[in-house]
Each structure stands twice: as structure tokens, then as C-alpha cells.
Amino acid sequence: MSNNSEFLWYIPNDVKAGHRGDSAVENHNSLDTLTSHARALEEHGWKGALIGTGWGRPDTFTVAASLAARTTTFEPLIAIRPGYWRPANFASAAATLDHLTGGRVRINIVSGKDNLSAYGDSEGDQAHRYARTKEFMRLVRRLWTEENVTSAGENFRVAESTVVPRIPVRGDRRHPKFYFGGASEAAERVAATEADIQLFWGEPLDGVGERIARLKALSRELDRDLPPLEFGLRITTLVRDTTEQAWTDAEAKVAEMARSKGTGWHDHQRALAVGQQRLLELHERGDVLDDNLYTAPGKVGGGGAGTTWLVGSAEDVARSLRKYQDLGITHFVLSDTPYLSEIKRQGDQLLPLLRV
């Protein structure tokens, strides 16, 4: 696999224990526990981790800043929502954290539905929601790369705004990269013009290939004025010492999900989200697609990256991930539970095979 590929993990950031089958230990979301995950990621070859967001979870930016302060190379991929943040406030906070960490900040822009009224936000239909996201991303990028910014958009306004500290150029990195998800037509138009990295959930290879081709064409059609869009995969990887053991454990985990009616797995199940609906419908094509893409979790409660799993030995899963890389995927956000032990297992067994 290309040396340009990057591998991140996932930190759930949830007040409830047992997220997606994780060990329900005391103080599961304490700073000491989360720091143990971040340090394990450093020690076992990972670049960093996506930190989940949503109203009702601990504030993602605060968690990311705390973990960055307790580590040396860990790069938080901080999920944030336009509306929860104003562009200038966010640009300043992110620039400050990027300065304090020596350039370790990454940002995941989330536009999916949330409990907006709980934090005083409101938005219109899908077209308005993604238009606001597009304006947010464009304005934040300007605040990071320009001085004395004045902008009077439909949703946000600033006048003579200069964010400090300034973000220095580091090689080809001008500012923290924007990761972005979404499968609707409106979301893809935002990704094609504003995102740095489009994240896909665990769709079969043919679906991911089609979407990459469509987004590249859309970038040309919409006259993208940024560096070429990159692509990432957010997926569960269930790795065991042997293929047989992996499938035995995967089937047992799905059986337990069915018994508990998916308790702890529902955090991304939103009927109106086009990407989630696509995932939930995959099991209609079969319980196993491609070589080892397991769709059965979606039938019993799996949501988001927990809807489909790549299952097998480290060699099996590495082989599958290489096929995604051949399509153009260069950013991988992997996970399985229990999170801490799997950071170590997959860091030691899977990552070396992907760096050959």
C-alpha cells in the first residue's frame, strides 16, 4: 500500500459506557482512560483518531485539546458542526490548538441532523443546511490563510477579521485539513468544491469507485479552485489471528447485537441521511459482499461505521484495504471494540502489512 496512506483510529467520546460493544469499564470516559487510548495509538503506529461529536456527548474540541496536551504525536480529527460554532470563533480556536500542538489538528465537518434547538441553532431544508456548510468551510479557510477578511454571506458575516496566531505553512499543508462526509447530491457538491478529504463509509468497492469518479467529475464541473480532493474510508475492521476465528467472533457479535436490539450501536441511524440509508440497504445484496465486507450488522442495529465490517485475519483485511487504496483511498479511519485492545492488536498486526 502506498506510503502516502494514513491510518487513524476512533475515540467514541460518549458519556455512556459500552459504545458498540466496548468494555463497560468504570471511568470509561475519564481523561486518564481516553489518554491511555491516545498514547496507545502513538505507541502502536497510528497517526491519530477521529473523535465523535453530537449534542449529548462531551464537547469534542475540549476532549481533543486535552488529549493533544497529554501526547506528543497524536493527531485529533475533531468532528465539529457549523451552527454549533461560528466561523471566526472556530477558526481562532482551531488555529490556537494547531499552534500549541505544532500542527497536529485535523477537522471533520459534520452536517448531519442533530438536536439543534438544544444548543440554540436552527436551519432550514437540506439545501439551506449544505449551503451554510459550504459558506462555513470557505470562510474558515479564508480566515486561516488571509488577513483582514471581510465577508457578507447569506449566513455568516465578518469585517476586517484576522485570526491569530497565524497558521504557518508546513510543506504542502497550509492549514488543518477538512474531512467531510455525506452521500446526497447536495453533500457531494460541497465536497467537490470545499472539502480536502471526502470520507466514505464501508460500501462495496464498486460503490466507492463510482462515487470517486463522480466526485472527480463534479470537481471539474464546478471549477474547484483548491488542490485535488482526496478520499478516505471510515469502517469497522474485525481482525483476528485466523480467518475462521474472525468470522466466529463476528457472527457471535452480531448475534449479541440482535439479542440486545442493537443497544449502544444506534448513534448514526438517521432515516433521512442518504449515506446511512445506502449502508442499511446493502444487506439486501447479501450478508457478505466483495471478499469479506460483512453487512449483517446493519440488519440488527449497526449504524454509521458499525453498519458494515471488514472481517478476517490481518492478511485478509489488509488485502481488502489495498483494493480500496487502488481505487484512490488514501485516508483510513478504522476501529473495532474493545477499542483499547484493538488499537494494539491492529496496530501490531494490521498496520505493518499496509506499509509494505
Side-chain angles (χ1 to χ4, degrees), residues 42-102:
E42 290 184 320
E43 294 164 4
H44 293 270
W46 301 92
K47 193 77 170 176
L50 169 64
I51 303 177
T53 192
W55 188 253
R57 290 183 174 187
D59 177 71
T60 308
F61 202 96
T62 303
V63 172
S66 300
L67 295 181
R70 287 193 165 198
T71 53
T72 55
T73 63
F74 169 78
E75 298 190 12
L77 174 52
I78 308 169
I80 68 105
R81 294 176 182 274
Y84 183 91
W85 288 90
R86 302 287 296 179
N89 300 110
F90 174 73
S92 176
T96 299
L97 184 58
D98 199 67
H99 166 71
L100 293 174
T101 61

Side-chain angles (χ1 to χ4, degrees), residues 4 41 51 63 75-76 78 84 102 120-121 153 178 196 222 245 259 271 277 281-282 320 325 328:
N4 293 328
L41 288 163
I51 303 177
V63 172
E75 298 190 12
I78 308 169
Y84 183 91
D121 189 25
F178 282 141
D196 296 303
L222 298 176
Q245 187 61 54
R259 187 196 64 78
Q277 196 61 43
E281 292 172 355
L282 285 175
S320 295
Q325 198 269 346

Side-chain angles (χ1 to χ4, degrees), residues 10-22 50-58 79 81 110 112-115 201 234 236 257 261-271 273 276 279-280 297 300-307 309 335 337 339:
Y10 176 69
I11 291 177
N13 185 33
D14 201 317
V15 295
K16 301 184 293 271
H19 183 266
R20 294 186 182 164
D22 195 18
L50 169 64
I51 303 177
T53 192
W55 188 253
R57 290 183 174 187
R81 294 176 182 274
V110 180
K113 294 289 187 179
D114 196 21
N115 188 3
W201 276 330
R234 169 74 187 101
T236 294
M257 290 169 64
K261 296 181 172 57
T263 300
W265 291 77
H266 292 299
D267 56 342
H268 283 283
Q269 290 220 26
R270 299 183 180 93
Q276 178 64 82
L279 283 187
L280 291 172
V300 295
T307 312
W309 310 345
S335 67
T337 56
Y339 289 110

Side-chain angles (χ1 to χ4, degrees), residues 286-327:
D287 280 354
V288 182
L289 303 178
D290 295 338
D291 297 322
N292 56 341
L293 183 67
Y294 194 32
T295 68
K299 294 191 293 187
V300 295
T307 312
T308 58
W309 310 345
L310 286 176
V311 177
S313 66
E315 291 78 10
D316 296 333
V317 173
R319 189 179 308 114
S320 295
L321 292 175
R322 287 192 197 98
K323 291 179 180 179
Y324 285 102
Q325 198 269 346
D326 289 342
L327 295 176

